[in-house]
Amino acid sequence: MPDNEQQSPGPWLYSGGTWSRLNHDPVSMERDNSIEDSIKAAGFASWFSTGKLYNNPLTMTVYFRSHPHPEPRYLIDLEGPEYSQFMYAAELPDALSLTQQIGPALQALTITDQFGHANSESLSVLGDLLDKMHGRTQVKNGRPVRR
């Protein structure tokens, strides 16, 4: 992202592989509206989301608007347990590029968090998953056994 983040107060826009700042936020946060109502009022509808807040350290929701609006057509909301960050993508290729860039971090955080919060009941399931991924089988008394 550009170094002049402090100079431009508008939200981030990703377009054609470059970051810039918008002059205004397409989602105006009205005092009496919820975030969801403000997103809907700006013409955005949910496209997809990953993770569930408080089950994962970071979730992502992507919104789009299909009816004619000026750019941006996509809103990406990254949300942690205490903080949320909006960013925008001009068109579909930009949104796909961003989700592709963010995806590995979401996946790594989720897996790391799941291992960190594993208990004795879930450890065997995680062990089985890793064994299956690596083509490993435990053998006891000459017979394959599950972990």
Side-chain angles (χ1 to χ4, degrees):
M1 292 188 191
D3 291 332
N4 63 351
E5 179 174 355
Q6 301 299 327
Q7 297 172 2
S8 302
W12 287 108
L13 171 68
Y14 188 75
S15 178
T18 60
W19 289 96
S20 62
R21 290 286 197 157
L22 292 169
N23 293 331
H24 72 287
D25 195 333
V27 175
S28 29
M29 303 302 284
E30 300 297 327
R31 186 177 191 151
D32 296 334
N33 281 356
S34 68
I35 292 173
E36 293 82 17
D37 290 341
S38 297
I39 289 170
K40 187 176 180 180
F44 289 100
S46 179
W47 184 25
F48 72 88
S49 62
T50 62
K52 291 183 180 179
L53 192 58
Y54 306 112
N55 289 341
N56 293 315
L58 186 65
T59 65
M60 176 176 64
T61 304
V62 178
Y63 300 89
F64 75 101
R65 47 185 178 185
S66 58
H67 54 288
H69 274 279
E71 287 184 350
R73 293 178 60 97
Y74 293 85
L75 162 63
I76 297 162
D77 178 18
L78 289 179
E79 190 169 352
E82 296 182 26
Y83 182 71
S84 180
Q85 177 68 53
F86 281 1
M87 65 189 83
Y88 295 91
E91 294 292 340
L92 178 62
D94 305 307
L96 293 175
S97 179
L98 273 179
T99 58
Q100 197 173 28
Q101 292 175 41
I102 297 166
L106 289 170
Q107 184 179 31
L109 285 168
T110 299
I111 291 170
T112 302
D113 196 59
Q114 293 302 314
F115 276 114
H117 290 97
N119 57 33
S120 59
E121 294 172 4
S122 62
L123 281 176
S124 65
V125 173
L126 294 170
D128 290 346
L129 175 64
L130 289 171
D131 285 343
K132 185 165 184 103
M133 286 172 52
H134 294 286
R136 297 185 300 232
T137 305
Q138 279 197 336
V139 177
K140 186 174 186 178
N141 298 328
R143 302 176 107 174
V145 293
R146 294 187 70 202
R147 274 179 61 135

